[in-house]
Amino acid sequence: MGMLLLVLVLNLVISFFNARSVGRVWAESKAIGGWIRLVVWAGAIQSAIGFTYVYAFIVGYIAVSTGYLPAAMLGVLLNLMYVMIVVPLIGSAIIITIQSWITAARDRSLMNLGVAGWNTFATAYNTYNAVQSFGPALDSVQQGLGGVLGDGDSDDNAARVILLAAIVLLAGVLTTSVIIRRYEASLPVSEEVRNANRNLEYR
């Protein structure tokens, strides 16, 4: 339990700093567009997934401890969340990894090379785990939501799992959005972007 709590806190911290970093360059990336905008969106997705991951555990355990969900459905809820977030998680990680390669190629500092190496390892490892875990997770969701557990209230439980999953996902997205808006444009916008915006205004 202590290790789980540590992982959850670490995810919250990382997600917060990801959202803050995205917010600080949000306006400039929007003005520039292109690849950098895609990278910023990937960072926002990573942040939202991190918050969603934490909220899923918290909400799931509260739902079980209060009797809103039977204990057997906790795994179904967590697996449903995994199935929902794994594709955008891997996709955004690949984009960020490619950006770290570009950064390392332009500036071959020890830090940039280390970040690129770590991102490559983490993305490859997470992709391998996703390939191995997606099938069993999907089977668990299909069985749980299909009422195979033999619970007389299986339809109600399935609806509650879906409702909680939707709430948790929305909470993760909203948390990231609020942080991005809070720190948006807190970095000075470059002269290049100002000129681009000025040209757009006169069209």
Side-chain angles (χ1 to χ4, degrees):
M1 181 60 71
M3 182 60 69
L4 175 61
L5 182 60
L6 179 62
V7 170
L8 294 180
V9 172
L10 184 60
N11 267 277
L12 280 177
V13 173
I14 293 174
S15 298
F16 170 80
F17 281 106
N18 280 343
R20 188 182 72 163
S21 297
V22 167
R24 297 179 73 187
V25 297
W26 187 263
E28 187 157 8
S29 71
K30 187 175 181 180
I32 296 173
W35 171 254
I36 190 62
R37 184 62 173 169
L38 184 61
V39 172
V40 169
W41 265 106
I45 291 170
Q46 289 275 315
S47 174
I49 288 174
F51 284 120
T52 299
Y53 173 84
V54 174
Y55 295 159
F57 274 93
I58 295 174
V59 170
Y61 278 103
I62 291 175
V64 170
S65 63
T66 58
Y68 184 75
L69 280 182
M73 295 299 287
L74 176 59
V76 177
L77 172 62
L78 297 179
N79 282 323
L80 176 58
M81 296 308 307
Y82 178 78
V83 169
M84 292 170 63
I85 68 176
V86 66
V87 173
L89 173 66
I90 298 300
S92 59
I94 290 173
I95 292 171
I96 292 173
T97 299
I98 293 173
Q99 176 59 31
S100 69
W101 295 344
I102 295 172
T103 302
R106 290 175 176 172
D107 180 8
R108 298 188 178 184
S109 67
L110 185 60
M111 175 176 290
N112 288 339
L113 291 173
V115 169
W118 170 254
N119 285 344
T120 302
F121 166 77
T123 300
Y125 180 78
N126 289 335
T127 301
Y128 172 79
N129 279 342
V131 171
Q132 299 295 317
S133 304
F134 186 83
L138 183 59
D139 288 342
S140 170
V141 172
Q142 290 175 335
Q143 292 178 8
L145 298 186
V148 181
L149 297 176
D151 188 341
D153 298 324
S154 59
D155 289 341
D156 288 341
N157 290 332
R160 290 174 180 178
V161 166
I162 294 172
L163 176 62
L164 290 178
I167 291 173
V168 165
L169 182 60
L170 180 61
V173 172
L174 287 177
T175 302
T176 297
S177 179
V178 168
I179 296 172
I180 288 174
R181 297 305 176 191
R182 166 63 179 81
Y183 289 96
E184 185 174 358
S186 59
L187 284 180
V189 178
S190 67
E191 187 64 28
E192 177 184 356
V193 173
R194 290 195 187 97
N195 291 335
N197 287 339
R198 192 175 299 118
N199 291 336
L200 286 175
E201 289 174 1
Y202 290 133
R203 289 182 182 177

